Amino acid sequence: MSKQIFNVVILMFIGSLAYAQNDSIRAEILRFEGTKAELIQRGRGVLMEKIERGEKSNVEAIFKYLLGEEDHYHVAFHPIEKYLLYYYLNDFSSILNQATLRSSEVSRERFYAQMRPASDLLAYKLVDIVRFDRNEIIQSIKNSNLSSSDKSFLKLNLNYLSADFGVDHAVQDSLNVAANQYLTAHPGTEFEKYIRTDIRYEFKPSKWGVGVEFFTGYSLFTDNLSKRFYNTIAVGVAFDICYKNWTLFVRDYIGSSRIKDSIAFSNVTWQRHSKATLYLPEISVGYVTYENKFVIVTPFLGMSWASISPTDNDKDKIPEYKNIGLSFTKTYTLGTNVDFKLGRSMTNKLKGSESTYWFVRVRYAYNIGNFENQYTGFNGNIHSLTIGVGGFSRQVKRVY
Protein backbone atom coordinates (compact mmCIF):
# COMPACT_ATOMS: atom_id res chain seq x y z
CA MET A 1 0.00 0.00 0.00
CA SER A 2 2.79 2.39 0.96
CA LYS A 3 4.57 1.56 -2.30
CA GLN A 4 1.51 2.56 -4.32
CA ILE A 5 1.24 5.85 -2.43
CA PHE A 6 4.93 6.51 -3.12
CA ASN A 7 4.41 5.94 -6.86
CA VAL A 8 1.45 8.31 -6.94
CA VAL A 9 3.49 11.00 -5.19
CA ILE A 10 6.36 10.58 -7.68
CA LEU A 11 3.99 10.89 -10.63
CA MET A 12 2.41 14.03 -9.18
CA PHE A 13 5.87 15.53 -8.64
CA ILE A 14 6.94 14.82 -12.22
CA GLY A 15 3.66 16.25 -13.51
CA SER A 16 4.12 19.44 -11.54
CA LEU A 17 7.67 19.83 -12.90
CA ALA A 18 6.41 19.39 -16.49
CA TYR A 19 3.62 21.90 -15.89
CA ALA A 20 6.06 24.41 -14.41
CA GLN A 21 8.42 23.95 -17.40
CA ASN A 22 5.59 24.42 -19.93
CA ASP A 23 4.42 27.50 -18.04
CA SER A 24 7.94 28.91 -18.20
CA ILE A 25 8.17 28.29 -21.96
CA ARG A 26 4.75 29.87 -22.48
CA ALA A 27 5.82 32.95 -20.53
CA GLU A 28 9.00 33.23 -22.57
CA ILE A 29 7.04 33.02 -25.82
CA LEU A 30 4.62 35.70 -24.66
CA ARG A 31 7.52 37.98 -23.73
CA PHE A 32 9.20 37.47 -27.13
CA GLU A 33 9.23 40.72 -29.09
CA GLY A 34 9.77 39.21 -32.54
CA THR A 35 12.69 38.46 -34.84
CA LYS A 36 14.63 40.93 -36.91
CA ALA A 37 12.92 39.56 -40.03
CA GLU A 38 9.52 40.45 -38.51
CA LEU A 39 10.79 43.90 -37.56
CA ILE A 40 11.97 44.48 -41.13
CA GLN A 41 8.68 43.28 -42.60
CA ARG A 42 6.65 45.57 -40.33
CA GLY A 43 8.97 48.45 -41.16
CA ARG A 44 8.38 47.90 -44.88
CA GLY A 45 4.64 48.11 -44.24
CA VAL A 46 5.03 51.44 -42.46
CA LEU A 47 7.32 52.65 -45.25
CA MET A 48 4.67 51.90 -47.89
CA GLU A 49 2.11 53.83 -45.90
CA LYS A 50 4.41 56.88 -45.70
CA ILE A 51 5.11 56.66 -49.43
CA GLU A 52 1.39 56.65 -50.22
CA ARG A 53 0.96 59.75 -48.06
CA GLY A 54 3.88 61.49 -49.74
CA GLU A 55 5.75 61.99 -46.45
CA LYS A 56 9.20 62.03 -48.03
CA SER A 57 11.08 62.99 -44.84
CA ASN A 58 9.51 60.11 -42.92
CA VAL A 59 10.21 57.78 -45.82
CA GLU A 60 13.89 58.75 -45.67
CA ALA A 61 14.05 58.23 -41.90
CA ILE A 62 12.42 54.77 -42.03
CA PHE A 63 14.53 53.78 -45.03
CA LYS A 64 17.77 54.65 -43.21
CA TYR A 65 16.61 52.92 -40.04
CA LEU A 66 15.83 49.67 -41.88
CA LEU A 67 19.15 49.83 -43.72
CA GLY A 68 20.79 50.02 -40.28
CA GLU A 69 19.03 46.80 -39.31
CA GLU A 70 20.65 44.87 -42.15
CA ASP A 71 23.41 42.46 -41.17
CA HIS A 72 25.24 39.41 -42.41
CA TYR A 73 22.02 37.36 -42.32
CA HIS A 74 19.27 39.87 -43.12
CA VAL A 75 18.51 42.39 -45.86
CA ALA A 76 15.65 44.87 -45.66
CA PHE A 77 15.34 45.64 -49.39
CA HIS A 78 15.90 44.04 -52.75
CA PRO A 79 18.50 45.88 -54.89
CA ILE A 80 15.87 47.34 -57.23
CA GLU A 81 13.93 48.71 -54.24
CA LYS A 82 17.04 50.45 -52.96
CA TYR A 83 17.69 52.01 -56.38
CA LEU A 84 14.11 53.26 -56.63
CA LEU A 85 14.13 54.69 -53.10
CA TYR A 86 17.42 56.48 -53.77
CA TYR A 87 15.94 57.99 -56.95
CA TYR A 88 12.80 58.98 -55.02
CA LEU A 89 14.97 60.71 -52.42
CA ASN A 90 17.41 62.18 -55.01
CA ASP A 91 20.28 60.37 -53.31
CA PHE A 92 22.30 59.88 -56.49
CA SER A 93 25.68 59.17 -54.88
CA SER A 94 24.19 56.11 -53.12
CA ILE A 95 22.92 54.86 -56.49
CA LEU A 96 26.41 55.10 -57.94
CA ASN A 97 27.92 53.31 -54.95
CA GLN A 98 25.32 50.54 -55.08
CA ALA A 99 25.84 50.01 -58.82
CA THR A 100 29.57 49.66 -58.22
CA LEU A 101 28.97 47.12 -55.43
CA ARG A 102 26.38 45.31 -57.54
CA SER A 103 29.10 44.58 -60.08
CA SER A 104 30.92 42.56 -57.44
CA GLU A 105 30.37 38.80 -57.50
CA VAL A 106 30.92 38.75 -53.72
CA SER A 107 28.05 41.21 -53.27
CA ARG A 108 25.73 39.12 -55.42
CA GLU A 109 26.59 35.85 -53.67
CA ARG A 110 26.14 37.43 -50.24
CA PHE A 111 22.71 38.79 -51.17
CA TYR A 112 21.43 35.37 -52.21
CA ALA A 113 22.77 33.84 -48.97
CA GLN A 114 20.87 36.34 -46.78
CA MET A 115 17.29 36.23 -45.55
CA ARG A 116 15.33 38.45 -47.91
CA PRO A 117 12.03 40.25 -47.15
CA ALA A 118 8.76 38.54 -48.03
CA SER A 119 6.91 39.54 -51.17
CA ASP A 120 4.80 42.68 -50.92
CA LEU A 121 3.85 45.66 -53.11
CA LEU A 122 6.74 47.97 -52.21
CA ALA A 123 8.61 47.62 -55.50
CA TYR A 124 5.42 48.15 -57.56
CA LYS A 125 4.52 51.28 -55.62
CA LEU A 126 8.03 52.66 -56.01
CA VAL A 127 8.05 52.03 -59.78
CA ASP A 128 4.76 53.90 -60.16
CA ILE A 129 6.02 56.87 -58.14
CA VAL A 130 9.38 57.03 -59.94
CA ARG A 131 7.62 56.91 -63.32
CA PHE A 132 5.33 59.74 -62.21
CA ASP A 133 8.27 61.85 -60.92
CA ARG A 134 10.61 60.89 -63.76
CA ASN A 135 10.97 64.34 -65.31
CA GLU A 136 11.68 65.93 -61.93
CA ILE A 137 14.25 63.26 -61.13
CA ILE A 138 16.02 63.79 -64.46
CA GLN A 139 16.11 67.53 -63.86
CA SER A 140 17.64 66.92 -60.42
CA ILE A 141 20.29 64.73 -62.05
CA LYS A 142 21.12 67.52 -64.52
CA ASN A 143 21.39 70.07 -61.70
CA SER A 144 23.71 67.88 -59.62
CA ASN A 145 27.49 68.36 -59.38
CA LEU A 146 28.21 64.87 -60.70
CA SER A 147 30.37 64.16 -63.73
CA SER A 148 28.79 63.82 -67.17
CA SER A 149 29.51 60.08 -67.23
CA ASP A 150 27.78 59.60 -63.85
CA LYS A 151 24.79 61.63 -65.02
CA SER A 152 24.53 59.54 -68.19
CA PHE A 153 24.63 56.36 -66.14
CA LEU A 154 21.96 57.64 -63.73
CA LYS A 155 19.62 58.40 -66.66
CA LEU A 156 20.31 55.00 -68.25
CA ASN A 157 19.65 53.20 -64.97
CA LEU A 158 16.47 55.23 -64.37
CA ASN A 159 15.17 54.26 -67.82
CA TYR A 160 15.91 50.63 -67.02
CA LEU A 161 14.24 50.65 -63.60
CA SER A 162 11.11 52.44 -64.83
CA ALA A 163 10.74 50.57 -68.15
CA ASP A 164 7.54 48.67 -68.89
CA PHE A 165 8.94 45.45 -70.37
CA GLY A 166 5.49 43.94 -70.77
CA VAL A 167 4.51 46.39 -73.51
CA ASP A 168 6.92 45.68 -76.31
CA HIS A 169 10.30 44.07 -77.01
CA ALA A 170 11.28 47.43 -78.49
CA VAL A 171 11.66 48.76 -74.91
CA GLN A 172 14.47 46.31 -74.24
CA ASP A 173 15.94 46.94 -77.69
CA SER A 174 16.17 50.67 -77.00
CA LEU A 175 17.79 49.96 -73.62
CA ASN A 176 20.33 47.70 -75.33
CA VAL A 177 21.19 50.48 -77.79
CA ALA A 178 21.57 53.02 -74.98
CA ALA A 179 23.68 50.59 -72.89
CA ASN A 180 26.01 49.88 -75.82
CA GLN A 181 26.38 53.59 -76.48
CA TYR A 182 27.33 54.20 -72.85
CA LEU A 183 29.86 51.34 -72.81
CA THR A 184 31.41 52.63 -76.03
CA ALA A 185 31.60 56.20 -74.76
CA HIS A 186 32.98 55.15 -71.35
CA PRO A 187 35.27 52.12 -71.81
CA GLY A 188 36.39 50.51 -68.58
CA THR A 189 33.64 52.14 -66.55
CA GLU A 190 33.15 50.87 -63.01
CA PHE A 191 29.49 50.21 -63.89
CA GLU A 192 30.31 47.95 -66.85
CA LYS A 193 29.48 44.62 -65.21
CA TYR A 194 26.23 45.97 -63.78
CA ILE A 195 25.20 47.32 -67.19
CA ARG A 196 26.06 44.10 -69.00
CA THR A 197 24.42 41.85 -66.40
CA ASP A 198 21.35 43.83 -65.30
CA ILE A 199 20.48 46.47 -67.90
CA ARG A 200 21.50 45.02 -71.24
CA TYR A 201 19.67 41.87 -72.35
CA GLU A 202 21.14 41.28 -75.78
CA PHE A 203 21.00 37.96 -77.60
CA LYS A 204 22.49 36.53 -80.73
CA PRO A 205 22.02 33.22 -82.52
CA SER A 206 24.60 30.50 -82.08
CA LYS A 207 27.11 29.92 -84.86
CA TRP A 208 25.56 26.48 -85.40
CA GLY A 209 22.10 25.74 -86.74
CA VAL A 210 20.11 22.89 -88.26
CA GLY A 211 17.27 22.71 -90.74
CA VAL A 212 15.07 20.19 -92.51
CA GLU A 213 13.18 20.43 -95.81
CA PHE A 214 10.61 18.30 -97.64
CA PHE A 215 10.44 19.02 -101.33
CA THR A 216 9.01 18.12 -104.69
CA GLY A 217 10.23 19.12 -108.11
CA TYR A 218 10.92 18.49 -111.76
CA SER A 219 14.09 17.41 -113.60
CA LEU A 220 15.02 17.75 -117.25
CA PHE A 221 17.58 15.59 -119.04
CA THR A 222 19.84 16.92 -121.80
CA ASP A 223 21.57 15.37 -124.84
CA ASN A 224 21.24 11.58 -125.15
CA LEU A 225 19.70 11.22 -121.72
CA SER A 226 16.74 13.31 -122.94
CA LYS A 227 16.38 10.91 -125.89
CA ARG A 228 16.34 7.89 -123.59
CA PHE A 229 14.20 9.11 -120.66
CA TYR A 230 11.22 11.34 -120.04
CA ASN A 231 11.70 14.18 -117.59
CA THR A 232 11.11 13.27 -113.94
CA ILE A 233 8.80 14.35 -111.14
CA ALA A 234 10.58 14.06 -107.80
CA VAL A 235 10.09 14.05 -104.05
CA GLY A 236 12.73 14.13 -101.35
CA VAL A 237 14.03 15.28 -98.03
CA ALA A 238 17.03 17.42 -97.14
CA PHE A 239 18.95 18.30 -93.99
CA ASP A 240 20.93 21.49 -93.43
CA ILE A 241 23.85 21.83 -91.03
CA CYS A 242 24.94 25.46 -90.73
CA TYR A 243 27.99 27.18 -89.30
CA LYS A 244 27.85 30.96 -89.51
CA ASN A 245 27.11 31.67 -93.20
CA TRP A 246 28.21 28.23 -94.43
CA THR A 247 25.73 25.39 -94.90
CA LEU A 248 26.23 21.70 -95.54
CA PHE A 249 23.29 20.33 -97.55
CA VAL A 250 22.55 16.59 -97.38
CA ARG A 251 19.75 15.70 -99.80
CA ASP A 252 17.94 12.57 -100.95
CA TYR A 253 16.21 13.07 -104.32
CA ILE A 254 13.98 10.37 -105.81
CA GLY A 255 12.48 11.00 -109.25
CA SER A 256 9.85 9.09 -111.21
CA SER A 257 10.26 8.74 -114.99
CA ARG A 258 9.76 6.39 -117.96
CA ILE A 259 12.04 5.23 -120.75
CA LYS A 260 11.14 6.53 -124.20
CA ASP A 261 12.25 3.46 -126.17
CA SER A 262 13.49 -0.01 -125.41
CA ILE A 263 17.06 -0.24 -124.10
CA ALA A 264 19.02 -3.45 -124.75
CA PHE A 265 21.35 -4.80 -122.09
CA SER A 266 23.52 -7.92 -122.30
CA ASN A 267 20.94 -10.33 -120.89
CA VAL A 268 17.61 -8.47 -121.13
CA THR A 269 15.85 -5.60 -122.87
CA TRP A 270 14.37 -2.80 -120.82
CA GLN A 271 10.99 -2.48 -122.45
CA ARG A 272 9.68 0.74 -123.96
CA HIS A 273 7.66 3.04 -121.64
CA SER A 274 8.70 1.08 -118.56
CA LYS A 275 8.84 3.07 -115.37
CA ALA A 276 12.24 4.30 -114.20
CA THR A 277 13.51 5.75 -110.94
CA LEU A 278 16.14 8.49 -110.73
CA TYR A 279 18.11 8.43 -107.48
CA LEU A 280 20.15 11.57 -106.89
CA PRO A 281 21.60 11.79 -103.35
CA GLU A 282 23.73 14.88 -102.82
CA ILE A 283 26.25 16.48 -100.47
CA SER A 284 26.98 20.12 -101.19
CA VAL A 285 28.28 23.23 -99.48
CA GLY A 286 26.62 26.64 -99.74
CA TYR A 287 27.46 30.16 -98.62
CA VAL A 288 24.87 32.86 -97.85
CA THR A 289 25.48 35.76 -100.23
CA TYR A 290 22.37 37.75 -99.33
CA GLU A 291 19.96 37.78 -96.40
CA ASN A 292 17.29 40.08 -95.01
CA LYS A 293 14.13 39.58 -92.93
CA PHE A 294 12.32 37.88 -95.79
CA VAL A 295 14.75 36.03 -98.04
CA ILE A 296 18.07 34.15 -98.00
CA VAL A 297 20.11 33.45 -101.16
CA THR A 298 22.63 30.61 -100.94
CA PRO A 299 24.66 29.45 -103.95
CA PHE A 300 26.10 25.94 -103.51
CA LEU A 301 28.58 23.50 -105.01
CA GLY A 302 29.03 19.81 -104.31
CA MET A 303 28.83 16.20 -105.40
CA SER A 304 25.96 13.84 -106.08
CA TRP A 305 25.57 10.27 -107.20
CA ALA A 306 23.05 9.55 -109.97
CA SER A 307 21.43 6.28 -110.98
CA ILE A 308 18.52 5.44 -113.27
CA SER A 309 17.01 2.00 -112.87
CA PRO A 310 13.75 0.06 -113.08
CA THR A 311 11.35 0.49 -110.20
CA ASP A 312 11.39 -1.98 -107.32
CA ASN A 313 7.95 -3.17 -108.38
CA ASP A 314 9.18 -4.02 -111.91
CA LYS A 315 12.24 -5.75 -110.46
CA ASP A 316 9.97 -8.01 -108.42
CA LYS A 317 7.83 -8.81 -111.44
CA ILE A 318 10.74 -9.27 -113.82
CA PRO A 319 13.79 -10.69 -111.99
CA GLU A 320 16.03 -9.98 -115.03
CA TYR A 321 15.54 -6.23 -114.37
CA LYS A 322 17.44 -6.43 -111.09
CA ASN A 323 20.84 -5.99 -112.74
CA ILE A 324 20.05 -3.46 -115.45
CA GLY A 325 19.92 0.33 -115.57
CA LEU A 326 22.52 3.01 -115.04
CA SER A 327 24.25 2.37 -111.72
CA PHE A 328 25.38 5.10 -109.31
CA THR A 329 27.84 7.43 -110.94
CA LYS A 330 29.49 10.43 -109.34
CA THR A 331 28.39 13.79 -110.70
CA TYR A 332 29.13 17.40 -109.79
CA THR A 333 26.36 19.70 -108.63
CA LEU A 334 26.01 23.46 -108.54
CA GLY A 335 23.10 25.84 -108.17
CA THR A 336 21.32 28.26 -105.87
CA ASN A 337 18.80 28.10 -103.02
CA VAL A 338 16.36 30.96 -102.43
CA ASP A 339 14.63 30.64 -99.06
CA PHE A 340 11.53 32.74 -98.37
CA LYS A 341 10.95 33.09 -94.62
CA LEU A 342 7.36 32.46 -93.62
CA GLY A 343 7.65 33.54 -90.00
CA ARG A 344 10.12 33.98 -87.20
CA SER A 345 9.79 33.13 -83.55
CA MET A 346 12.20 33.47 -80.66
CA THR A 347 10.98 31.13 -77.97
CA ASN A 348 11.80 31.87 -74.35
CA LYS A 349 14.82 33.87 -75.37
CA LEU A 350 15.58 35.12 -71.85
CA LYS A 351 16.47 31.54 -70.97
CA GLY A 352 18.54 31.07 -74.07
CA SER A 353 16.25 28.85 -76.10
CA GLU A 354 15.97 28.80 -79.89
CA SER A 355 15.54 31.16 -82.81
CA THR A 356 13.39 29.41 -85.42
CA TYR A 357 11.57 30.17 -88.63
CA TRP A 358 9.69 28.32 -91.36
CA PHE A 359 10.64 28.74 -94.98
CA VAL A 360 9.69 27.94 -98.56
CA ARG A 361 12.75 27.00 -100.60
CA VAL A 362 13.02 27.37 -104.36
CA ARG A 363 16.10 25.52 -105.58
CA TYR A 364 17.79 25.22 -108.93
CA ALA A 365 20.51 22.58 -109.41
CA TYR A 366 22.63 21.57 -112.37
CA ASN A 367 24.15 18.09 -112.33
CA ILE A 368 27.03 17.38 -114.68
CA GLY A 369 26.44 13.78 -115.74
CA ASN A 370 29.15 11.13 -116.14
CA PHE A 371 27.11 8.16 -117.38
CA GLU A 372 28.90 8.20 -120.74
CA ASN A 373 32.09 7.02 -119.02
CA GLN A 374 30.41 3.69 -118.27
CA TYR A 375 27.53 3.49 -120.76
CA THR A 376 27.94 4.35 -124.41
CA GLY A 377 25.26 6.67 -125.73
CA PHE A 378 24.10 7.96 -122.32
CA ASN A 379 25.82 11.30 -122.18
CA GLY A 380 23.87 14.27 -120.80
CA ASN A 381 23.26 16.43 -117.79
CA ILE A 382 20.34 17.10 -115.44
CA HIS A 383 18.56 20.36 -114.65
CA SER A 384 16.42 20.28 -111.51
CA LEU A 385 13.97 22.76 -110.05
CA THR A 386 12.43 21.96 -106.67
CA ILE A 387 10.09 23.67 -104.23
CA GLY A 388 10.22 22.67 -100.58
CA VAL A 389 8.94 23.64 -97.16
CA GLY A 390 10.96 23.34 -93.99
CA GLY A 391 12.14 24.82 -90.75
CA PHE A 392 15.40 26.15 -89.42
CA SER A 393 16.63 26.59 -85.86
CA ARG A 394 19.60 28.07 -84.03
CA GLN A 395 20.28 28.23 -80.32
CA VAL A 396 20.00 31.74 -78.88
CA LYS A 397 22.61 32.87 -76.38
CA ARG A 398 22.83 35.98 -74.27
CA VAL A 399 25.68 38.39 -75.00
CA TYR A 400 27.43 39.83 -71.94
Side-chain angles (χ1 to χ4, degrees), residues 41 65 75-76 177 182 266 273 283 308 330 342 350:
Q41 203 63 44
Y65 176 81
V75 290
V177 171
Y182 183 88
S266 58
H273 290 172
I283 297 178
I308 306 175
K330 183 172 71 175
L342 298 180
L350 293 181

Side-chain angles (χ1 to χ4, degrees), residues 25-175:
I25 293 173
R26 182 174 182 273
E28 183 179 355
I29 292 173
L30 290 174
R31 290 194 305 269
F32 186 66
E33 295 181 355
T35 65
K36 179 170 286 191
E38 290 174 332
L39 174 66
I40 288 173
Q41 203 63 44
R42 290 177 182 177
R44 287 169 62 89
V46 176
L47 184 67
M48 281 191 283
E49 183 179 344
K50 300 301 181 183
I51 290 172
E52 289 176 353
R53 293 179 180 179
E55 300 176 10
K56 187 168 287 192
S57 60
N58 288 331
V59 169
E60 184 175 9
I62 297 171
F63 179 38
K64 289 182 178 179
Y65 176 81
L66 291 177
L67 287 177
E69 290 296 316
E70 291 188 336
D71 57 27
H72 188 74
Y73 302 102
H74 300 84
V75 290
F77 301 96
H78 293 272
I80 191 172
E81 294 170 340
K82 289 182 180 180
Y83 282 123
L84 291 168
L85 279 163
Y86 286 137
Y87 274 111
Y88 175 70
L89 299 171
N90 288 346
D91 187 356
F92 303 128
S93 59
S94 293
I95 295 172
L96 300 175
N97 291 335
Q98 181 172 322
T100 304
L101 291 173
R102 182 70 172 157
S103 296
S104 167
E105 288 295 332
V106 175
S107 174
R108 291 172 182 269
E109 291 175 3
R110 180 180 175 184
F111 173 76
Y112 288 110
Q114 293 170 309
M115 182 178 293
R116 298 182 293 280
S119 299
D120 54 30
L121 298 178
L122 178 59
Y124 297 99
K125 291 181 181 295
L126 288 170
V127 169
D128 288 340
I129 289 173
V130 168
R131 284 175 181 166
F132 184 80
D133 294 342
R134 185 176 181 279
N135 292 336
E136 294 180 12
I137 295 172
I138 289 178
Q139 189 59 47
S140 297
I141 293 172
K142 291 179 180 178
N143 295 337
S144 69
N145 295 323
L146 297 169
S147 66
S148 60
S149 62
D150 286 345
K151 291 179 180 180
S152 297
F153 169 76
L154 287 169
K155 294 175 186 175
L156 172 63
N157 195 37
L158 178 62
N159 290 337
Y160 158 65
L161 294 170
S162 59
D164 188 352
F165 296 101
V167 174
D168 197 334
H169 289 305
V171 174
Q172 184 62 64
D173 292 340
S174 64
L175 277 174

Side-chain angles (χ1 to χ4, degrees), residues 83-375:
Y83 282 123
L84 291 168
L85 279 163
Y86 286 137
Y87 274 111
Y88 175 70
L89 299 171
N90 288 346
D91 187 356
F92 303 128
S93 59
S94 293
I95 295 172
L96 300 175
N97 291 335
Q98 181 172 322
T100 304
L101 291 173
R102 182 70 172 157
S103 296
S104 167
E105 288 295 332
V106 175
S107 174
R108 291 172 182 269
E109 291 175 3
R110 180 180 175 184
F111 173 76
Y112 288 110
Q114 293 170 309
M115 182 178 293
R116 298 182 293 280
S119 299
D120 54 30
L121 298 178
L122 178 59
Y124 297 99
K125 291 181 181 295
L126 288 170
V127 169
D128 288 340
I129 289 173
V130 168
R131 284 175 181 166
F132 184 80
D133 294 342
R134 185 176 181 279
N135 292 336
E136 294 180 12
I137 295 172
I138 289 178
Q139 189 59 47
S140 297
I141 293 172
K142 291 179 180 178
N143 295 337
S144 69
N145 295 323
L146 297 169
S147 66
S148 60
S149 62
D150 286 345
K151 291 179 180 180
S152 297
F153 169 76
L154 287 169
K155 294 175 186 175
L156 172 63
N157 195 37
L158 178 62
N159 290 337
Y160 158 65
L161 294 170
S162 59
D164 188 352
F165 296 101
V167 174
D168 197 334
H169 289 305
V171 174
Q172 184 62 64
D173 292 340
S174 64
L175 277 174
N176 291 343
V177 171
N180 288 329
Q181 290 174 345
Y182 183 88
L183 293 173
T184 301
H186 307 283
T189 174
E190 60 202 298
F191 312 119
E192 179 172 353
K193 192 164 188 178
Y194 171 73
I195 292 172
R196 293 183 183 277
T197 304
D198 290 59
I199 298 179
R200 190 182 74 174
Y201 275 78
E202 197 168 54
F203 298 83
K204 70 175 182 179
S206 167
K207 296 177 182 179
W208 291 94
V210 294
V212 63
E213 174 201 2
F214 299 93
F215 63 85
T216 185
Y218 193 76
S219 293
L220 292 83
F221 296 106
T222 68
D223 302 328
N224 282 340
L225 287 178
S226 66
K227 298 176 182 178
R228 301 281 192 171
F229 302 99
Y230 289 102
N231 296 328
T232 66
I233 297 175
V235 295
V237 62
F239 300 95
D240 305 348
I241 303 173
C242 301
Y243 179 77
K244 295 183 177 179
N245 286 331
W246 292 94
T247 303
L248 175 68
F249 298 106
V250 180
R251 300 174 65 83
D252 189 12
Y253 179 109
I254 303 175
S256 177
S257 178
R258 289 181 180 271
I259 64 173
K260 291 186 174 181
D261 203 351
S262 298
I263 302 174
F265 289 87
S266 58
N267 58 341
V268 68
T269 297
W270 196 357
Q271 295 299 320
R272 179 185 181 186
H273 290 172
S274 293
K275 292 181 179 179
T277 300
L278 168 65
Y279 292 103
L280 197 62
E282 173 194 319
I283 297 178
S284 57
V285 176
Y287 185 81
V288 175
T289 57
Y290 178 80
E291 180 176 5
N292 60 26
K293 293 181 179 180
F294 309 104
V295 67
I296 304 176
V297 179
T298 311
F300 61 86
L301 179 68
M303 293 187 299
S304 57
W305 291 262
S307 78
I308 306 175
S309 62
T311 63
D312 290 339
N313 188 49
D314 283 354
K315 289 179 182 180
D316 291 337
K317 292 180 180 179
I318 308 173
E320 291 82 2
Y321 277 8
K322 290 184 178 180
N323 297 315
I324 66 173
L326 310 182
S327 60
F328 280 105
T329 304
K330 183 172 71 175
T331 73
Y332 296 97
T333 303
L334 56 93
T336 300
N337 287 342
V338 180
D339 293 354
F340 298 94
K341 300 176 185 179
L342 298 180
R344 183 181 293 271
S345 67
M346 194 164 290
T347 306
N348 203 15
K349 75 174 186 177
L350 293 181
K351 294 185 178 179
S353 187
E354 296 181 343
S355 172
T356 64
Y357 61 84
W358 299 100
F359 62 81
V360 171
R361 174 173 294 168
V362 178
R363 186 180 199 267
Y364 167 74
Y366 179 65
N367 291 83
I368 302 171
N370 284 322
F371 286 125
E372 69 273 14
N373 293 333
Q374 298 185 47
Y375 305 97

